[in-house]
Amino acid sequence: MFTRLTLAATLAAAPALADDVNVYSYRQPELLAPLTDAFEAETGINVNVAYMKKGMVERLTAEGKRSPADLIFTVDAARMAAMVEAGLTQPVTSATLSANVPPAFHDPDGHWWTLTTRARVVYASKDRVADADITTYEDLVDPKWKGRICTRSGTHPYNVALTAAYLHHHGAEATREWLKGLKANLARKPQGNDRAQIKAIWAGECDISIGNTYYMGAMLKNEEQQAWADSVRLLFPTFENGGAHVNISGVAMTGAAPNKENAIKFMEFLASPKAQQIYAETNYEYPIAPGTPPSDLVASWGSFAPDEADLMDIARMRPDALKLVEEVDFDG
Ligand code: FE
């Protein structure tokens, strides 16, 4: 048997066994390994994963019909949409997937399927911010936050998606004003990742930040970052006319997929209660399958009403959102 291959180059060079499922993944080994292990133990089907940080579209395009990849894993609905638009995916229909993934969370034709969700929310200093201080994304531009907000780059996909959702709810003019107001309230230029902003709250540089929910769990697992996590709590803002901004992680089958049959088995496994629970416990994301609850830790952060804006509408607004972010020189 082939052992699991973790290097992109190795996967490309080695002809995989006929029954193997080959995956290109933007998701990290710490998350995927428990899932592939559980699937292999249950089915005896080997899963090879090439982990990538960028360039998946280019690579799949270059490989064309000869691509060894069966499945692609990524986060962000817009990235999923880009794969479909580039013609790199094929539709998958499956009663198991349909039963576990609500209609709003998969492509109508089955080109991509959500496996987990995450909300983009506010991390607030336990000492310096009260729960009632912020209840909406619109609140972020209140002058009372002047010099008190930290965030990563406005051009990062997580923030572009949030801005696209704002655009969906309020239109271009209001979104431009919101971005300007948010920029005016920043304690420092956008920099670092989501966790770096929470570190800054811990260090007293700012009082609130914008971040994805699962980073709270990730920080609590990390010796150095535990103190950052302990200094904040999660607040779940909503749009004034909507819910909390949610994005997804998901899977799609490549157009070339040499091992379609086993690849579908793996997709169905990932939507099953066993795998959904692994996602919940390992990565602190919200399971997509209605029957699987979030982990106790995640549930302890509070509940929220997810925004009901169509994920693909938001994905389509992404270029316009990015343009506005650049127009107001958000990172400058
Ligand atoms: Fe992330």
Side-chain angles (χ1 to χ4, degrees):
M1 288 291 276
F2 277 60
T3 51
R4 188 178 312 109
L5 303 167
T6 53
L7 289 171
T10 320
L11 181 53
L17 291 181
D19 292 343
D20 285 4
V21 176
N22 292 322
V23 170
Y24 286 180
S25 177
Y26 279 145
R27 306 225 70 191
Q28 291 165 8
E30 301 77 51
L31 169 67
L32 228 46
L35 294 159
T36 55
D37 287 351
F39 178 70
E40 286 171 0
E42 193 171 296
T43 62
I45 299 166
N46 210 38
V47 181
N48 307 307
V49 187
Y51 293 100
M52 305 176 183
K53 286 213 178 332
K54 56 184 179 184
M56 198 187 291
V57 168
E58 293 77 5
R59 178 162 169 188
L60 287 166
T61 305
E63 290 171 346
K65 287 199 174 80
R66 295 185 321 277
S67 177
D70 296 296
L71 299 176
I72 50 188
F73 283 74
T74 187
V75 297
D76 190 43
R79 265 202 192 132
M80 281 285 167
M83 301 273 186
V84 178
E85 267 163 42
L88 297 170
T89 58
Q90 65 175 295
V92 170
T93 48
S94 150
T96 305
L97 287 173
S98 294
N100 285 296
V101 183
F105 290 94
H106 63 80
D107 175 64
D109 298 325
H111 276 273
W112 57 265
W113 296 83
T114 294
L115 294 170
T116 61
T117 66
R118 62 277 298 285
R120 192 146 183 82
V121 298
V122 165
Y123 284 78
S125 162
K126 274 182 188 165
D127 302 334
R128 304 186 295 274
V129 179
D131 283 4
D133 285 350
I134 181 158
T135 59
T136 67
Y137 296 105
E138 291 82 351
D139 283 343
L140 288 166
V141 301
D142 190 306
K144 77 178 174 191
W145 297 117
K146 195 161 181 52
R148 298 175 68 191
I149 303 179
C150 283
T151 180
R152 77 193 310 164
S153 168
T155 66
H156 186 276
Y158 295 162
N159 279 341
V160 175
L162 176 62
T163 304
Y166 202 98
L167 189 55
H168 170 90
H169 283 290
H170 296 302
E173 204 42 58
T175 304
R176 189 181 293 113
E177 290 312 305
W178 180 72
L179 285 167
K180 278 187 198 162
L182 185 54
K183 181 183 177 186
N185 281 344
L186 295 181
R188 57 180 193 178
K189 276 187 189 180
Q191 58 194 270
N193 57 21
D194 275 2
R195 278 186 257 193
Q197 317 313 318
I198 297 147
K199 181 184 184 186
I201 295 175
W202 167 78
E205 287 178 64
C206 37
D207 295 338
I208 61 175
S209 74
I210 303 166
N212 285 355
T213 41
Y214 54 85
Y215 287 119
M216 184 66 136
M219 288 187 297
L220 288 168
K221 249 198 320 203
N222 179 303
E223 215 180 309
E224 186 203 352
Q225 298 173 2
Q226 216 163 15
W228 312 349
D230 286 339
S231 74
V232 295
R233 67 175 158 250
L234 285 177
L235 304 180
F236 293 87
T238 63
F239 288 104
E240 274 169 8
N241 53 352
H245 172 60
V246 163
N247 211 325
I248 63 152
S249 84
V251 61
M253 184 175 286
T254 67
N259 191 1
K260 201 170 159 175
E261 202 180 315
N262 283 349
I264 291 180
K265 280 187 198 155
F266 189 40
M267 291 173 85
E268 290 175 339
F269 173 80
L270 292 168
S272 75
K274 189 189 238 175
Q276 287 285 298
Q277 200 185 343
I278 293 174
Y279 274 115
E281 302 287 341
T282 308
N283 212 36
Y284 311 107
E285 294 175 290
Y286 296 95
I288 194 66
T292 309
S295 74
D296 290 344
L297 175 66
V298 172
S300 76
W301 300 336
S303 58
F304 62 94
D307 197 34
E308 282 176 4
D310 184 81
L311 287 170
M312 283 301 106
D313 279 352
I314 293 178
R316 272 188 290 274
M317 289 187 159
R318 199 189 130 121
D320 288 339
L322 182 59
K323 229 179 272 170
L324 288 169
V325 169
E326 284 166 350
E327 218 178 278
V328 305
D329 191 21
F330 189 82
D331 289 355

